[in-house]
Structures are given as C-alpha cells and as structure tokens.
Amino acid sequence: MSTAAQQKSVYEQIGGEPAMAAAVEVFYRKVLSDERISHFFEDVDMERQAAKQKAFLTMVTGGPSSYSGKDMRAGHAHLVKRGLNDVHFDAVVEHLRSTLEELGVAAPLVAQVLAIAGGARADVLNR
Amino acid sequence: MSRVQVKHESKWYPLEPEESVLDGLLRQGVAVPNSCRAGACQSCLMRATSGDVPDAARVGLKDTLRTQGYFLACICKPVAGTRLEVSGADALRVPARIDSVASLSSSVLRVRLSTTAPLDYRAGQYVSLLREDGLARSYSLASLPREGLLELHVRRIPGGQMSGWLSEHARAGDAVSVQGPAGSCFYVPGRFEQPLLLAGTGTGLAPLYGIVRDALESGHTGPIWLFHGARTPEGLYLSEALRELASRHSGFNYRPSVLTGGSRDVAEGALDVLIRAECPKPAGFRAFLCGDSDLVLSLRKKLFLSGLSLKDLHADVFLPSTPRAEASGAR
C-alpha cells in the first residue's frame, strides 16, 4: 500500500516552486560557466533561457509542466545541427546532479530526477 | 495563400508574406512613428480595433494596454488571411514643448521638456520623443518626477535625424509630444541596506543618474557604486555633478572610466575589469545596467555568473534606430 509521501512527486517533496526558483539560478550558473556547453547559450536572452531552465527542472522533478517529446525535439533540433551530442547531454545531467546535491536533496530523490532527465536523451538529441 | 489586409484610416493595405504591419504600412506610404524595430522602444504602438493580433506582438506591453488592443506594429506579423483594422496611438501621447537644449559635452545634449499634463513615470524609464512630423526616437529619462521638467540626454549622431534637429534647429517653445513611459530599469524602494551597482556607457548615464538620485532620496543606506564608461575623457559628462553628489553622500561612489586617456580622477581600462576590481564579490547586490547592447549583455552575464540573482539584475539595452531601407533589406 502506498503512502501519501510515496505518491508525492519529487517536485513536491523538495519544496515545489520556491525550490525550483532557488535551484534554477544555481543550475543555470553551472551550465553557463561550463566551457563544454556554454557556447550553445551564447546568443540567447538570459531571462528567457532561465525560464526554460526552470521549466526543465520542473519537468524532471515531476512538477506541473507541459513537456512533450515533440517539443523537446523541435527545441533542440537547431543545436543538434550545431553538434549537440552525448558529451553535452552528460554535462548538463552532471550539473543537475550537483545542483540538487548542493541544495540538500536526498540521494534517492536525486536518482529519480536523473532517471527522468536521462529519459529525455533521445528526444533532446533528436534520435 | 491569402494575404494579410490592414485597414488604416478607412483604406485597406495588403501585406507581403512575412512582412510586419509596420513595414507594410511604411512601404505603402503611411506615416507610422517607429525607432528600434525590435519590439523594445514601443514607438510604433498601434491599436487593433478589429481582427486578431499574434500574442508575440504584445510582448512587454502593460496589461492595461493589451486589454485595449494595443500592439507593436514592428513585430506584428498576423497569420495569413487576417483582416486587421488599426489606429494609431495618439491617445497615449502627451503634448510637450521644448524647454531648453544645452550641451553636456561635445557629443551629448541635455534636452528638457515640459508636458501639458504630468507624466507618471519612474526615474530610469524611457519615453519616445515625437517631432510634429512623426519622427520618433526613444530616450531614457534622467530627471525625477518631482522635478517637473523631463530631462533627456541625447547623443549627437552624425547624420542623425532627431539629434541633428535637436542640436541645430530645435528652439525653446517648439511643440513635440512624448509617449510612454516604458522599461523596467528603475529603483524600487525597499531593502535599503542592499549594495547597488550601476554601470553604463555613453548616454546610458541618463537613466543611472535618475536611479541613483531616486535611491538616495528614497533613503537608501547601502553602498552605491556608479560606473560610467566612455572611450575617451570627452565621452564622460556630468562628472562634476556626480563628484559633488558623492561628496554629500559617503555611501555613494562615482567611478568614471575610459579606454584611453585616463588620469588621476578617471580610471583607464575595460569597464568590467574596473567593476571586478572595485566590487569583487557582487553576490547580493542589486544592479542596473544601461547603454550599448554588447556591453550590457556581457556585463549582465558576468554579474550573474559572479552570484547576482537574475531578479536583482535590471538591464536596459540601447538599440539604435534602424533606417527603413536597411531593415527591409536585412529581412
């Protein structure tokens, strides 16, 4: 029998929207400072991009989001043309892990989030 | 595929595929005020009285304007087959007169305007200045609302239509109008002990001059840093007024800088290097950045990476006005 705690999404368990707002800045800073991937973000509007990063975090933690594989494919197709591959995907996942760990998210929850994020690999890389 | 039709003052104008409402109307001889052509300055504000406007054409508009059907003609590309009836934004314009035009430096004019009705704005916001024939440019306000007169800092641009007219021909008493205000780069009272970082180049000083005085008058107690950058010492202006302000407020630090020709009072070097030297740990600051787009965008990124929160970063990028031929050629 499942308990209420088990039914709650990771998103709710780690604190919902306020937790996402705190996480997005930490996460986005890591992504922008990483030379392996920062060039994909060179010419974007920072605020709009931060909003997208927040939507991404909300999605991978099981929060309210309008994620669809189709959007993910369309949204990254131009980056795949510019060489987006597994190395970059892994770098983002690594930053996601260290962000959640820094914010004190429990290991089993981090593992759940990373599993969801990993599931988007094929869509992001348009495979 | 059916074309978009735009009706303006009882005449219909067809748009070419992918053409904006602004470009289509200008091409067919309708005078529409415009300046940045990038959806920022709001000079080309129009009102749709019937027909659908894409949401993207309302980006950045206040809810009060959206609900009245206002949209930005320069970024409005209605879906094929749309029949759109539009009118200008005359109702949002405030008649004004030129009060004075003076030189602040060899390249910057101080233009003061009086309006027939008070303009409700925050120091640091910008307005569109419209000449009687419809020529429009947007400028930041350097004045405070309590001062009555609106103050603009206008850079003299070689061949510039508005700056040329202001410096050569405009006289006190000339009628103009003002539309706005717009922009969210302004001081909000509160968190009075938070350090403030203001940085800008050229006439990016105008909004910063308003913001710093607004913060001081609002009782801000935290340290305030103002960095003004220029290529050469001639590009700096208001230095004396700012030094005087700094001598009266111990928490206010004024730091002029140039790329070449520094002196005892003026630092020499890149603005971001100077900022890093003076404010090595800006996490927790509130920042205001105004001026040249490359500088503002790169500073914003550097400050964010050094720990400033995005919600505390207020930036106002100055976009050049785009001549029509270039704009249509580029698209």
Side-chain angles (χ1 to χ4, degrees):
Chain A
M1 205 175 126
S2 61
T3 64
Q6 279 170 319
Q7 285 175 353
K8 271 190 180 177
S9 64
V10 177
Y11 175 83
E12 288 169 303
Q13 290 182 64
I14 64 180
E17 197 281 332
M20 291 305 114
V24 69
E25 294 218 347
V26 176
F27 175 61
Y28 188 27
R29 256 184 217 111
K30 288 176 189 288
V31 168
L32 273 186
S33 321
D34 183 338
E35 285 178 12
R36 290 172 296 176
I37 46 180
S38 62
H39 60 281
F40 290 113
F41 301 91
E42 249 347 288
D43 45 7
V44 299
D45 176 324
M46 274 179 65
E47 279 174 47
R48 246 181 251 175
Q49 186 61 33
K52 282 189 197 166
Q53 301 279 334
K54 191 170 169 186
F56 167 73
L57 290 176
T58 302
M59 185 268 285
V60 294
T61 53
S65 79
S66 54
Y67 166 74
S68 78
K70 196 178 151 202
D71 292 345
M72 222 42 153
R73 285 182 175 269
H76 290 86
H78 67 293
L79 298 179
V80 172
K81 272 189 202 148
R82 282 168 54 189
L84 188 78
N85 62 35
D86 285 298
V87 172
H88 309 118
F89 188 88
D90 291 341
V92 171
V93 170
E94 188 187 311
H95 294 311
L96 179 58
R97 175 203 301 276
S98 65
T99 300
L100 296 170
E101 285 172 353
E102 263 175 49
L103 295 173
V105 177
L109 297 184
V110 174
Q112 279 186 48
V113 172
L114 295 182
I116 298 169
R121 185 185 295 264
D123 285 330
V124 168
L125 298 179
N126 275 253
R127 289 204 288 244
Chain B
M1 198 162 78
S2 54
R3 292 243 172 118
V4 173
Q5 302 268 327
V6 177
K7 188 178 183 185
H8 181 264
E9 289 179 352
S10 69
K11 192 175 166 214
W12 286 95
Y13 299 89
L15 298 192
E16 296 292 334
E18 285 304 296
E19 193 175 40
S20 70
V21 169
L22 177 66
D23 286 337
L25 290 176
L26 291 176
R27 177 172 56 75
Q28 296 168 87
V30 180
V32 181
N34 68 89
S35 182
C36 79
R37 291 169 171 270
C41 78
Q42 305 190 357
S43 299
C44 66
L45 201 62
M46 298 195 101
R47 189 171 171 201
T49 49
S50 107
D52 287 334
V53 163
D55 282 345
R58 302 183 197 274
V59 166
L61 293 188
K62 286 190 282 193
D63 288 345
T64 47
L65 293 179
R66 285 167 184 254
T67 53
Q68 295 173 78
Y70 283 99
F71 67 97
L72 300 171
C74 71
I75 51 167
C76 181
K77 293 178 182 173
V79 294
T82 300
R83 287 167 70 86
L84 187 66
E85 295 187 37
V86 302
S87 63
D90 298 353
L92 296 176
R93 289 185 192 134
V94 180
R97 292 200 177 275
I98 292 181
D99 180 81
S100 65
V101 179
S103 283
L104 284 169
S105 74
S106 57
S107 59
V108 179
L109 299 170
R110 183 179 63 204
V111 177
R112 284 185 168 148
L113 308 168
S114 57
T115 51
T116 53
L119 186 76
D120 184 16
Y121 73 95
R122 305 296 304 253
Q125 288 193 291
Y126 57 91
V127 294
S128 284
L129 172 66
L130 294 103
R131 198 168 67 179
E132 282 204 307
D133 63 355
L135 180 70
R137 292 290 180 267
S138 53
Y139 298 104
S140 289
L141 294 161
S143 47
L144 302 175
R146 67 158 178 79
E147 292 173 318
L149 294 175
L150 303 180
E151 177 171 323
L152 316 174
H153 296 167
V154 177
R155 185 162 68 91
R156 281 199 183 96
I157 293 171
Q161 291 185 71
M162 185 67 92
S163 69
W165 175 71
L166 286 167
S167 78
E168 306 291 330
H169 305 291
R171 295 286 169 267
D174 282 355
V176 289
S177 52
V178 167
Q179 181 185 308
S184 54
C185 195
F186 53 78
Y187 179 78
V188 176
R191 294 182 288 164
F192 293 107
E193 286 165 24
Q194 186 179 32
L196 305 184
L197 193 164
L198 297 82
T201 50
T203 51
L205 182 63
L208 302 180
Y209 184 59
I211 292 166
V212 73
R213 293 184 304 140
D214 190 14
L216 289 170
E217 291 190 9
S218 301
H220 202 87
T221 53
I224 302 176
W225 294 85
L226 170 60
F227 296 92
H228 185 210
R231 283 194 187 81
T232 62
E234 290 72 42
L236 298 171
Y237 65 93
L238 283 182
S239 298
E240 263 180 49
L242 287 163
R243 286 209 173 86
E244 197 271 325
L245 197 62
S247 72
R248 282 192 285 124
H249 297 272
S250 58
F252 172 51
N253 308 283
Y254 165 58
R255 293 288 183 272
S257 78
V258 291
L259 292 179
T260 54
S263 62
R264 195 171 56 87
D265 295 331
V266 178
E268 184 175 298
L271 200 58
D272 62 321
V273 176
L274 178 66
I275 292 172
R276 209 179 318 131
E278 299 266 29
C279 303
K281 285 185 184 150
F285 279 47
R286 200 183 326 176
F288 302 89
L289 312 171
C290 299
D292 171 69
S293 66
D294 287 348
L295 179 100
V296 165
L297 295 179
S298 121
L299 265 185
R300 176 160 78 166
K301 189 165 164 182
K302 283 175 178 152
L303 289 171
F304 173 68
L305 290 177
S306 61
L308 240 98
S309 177
L310 274 179
K311 70 174 168 37
D312 280 329
L313 267 167
H314 308 278
D316 193 356
V317 172
F318 286 15
L319 299 166
S321 59
T322 313
R324 193 175 146 217
E326 258 179 56
S328 42
R331 294 211 175 243

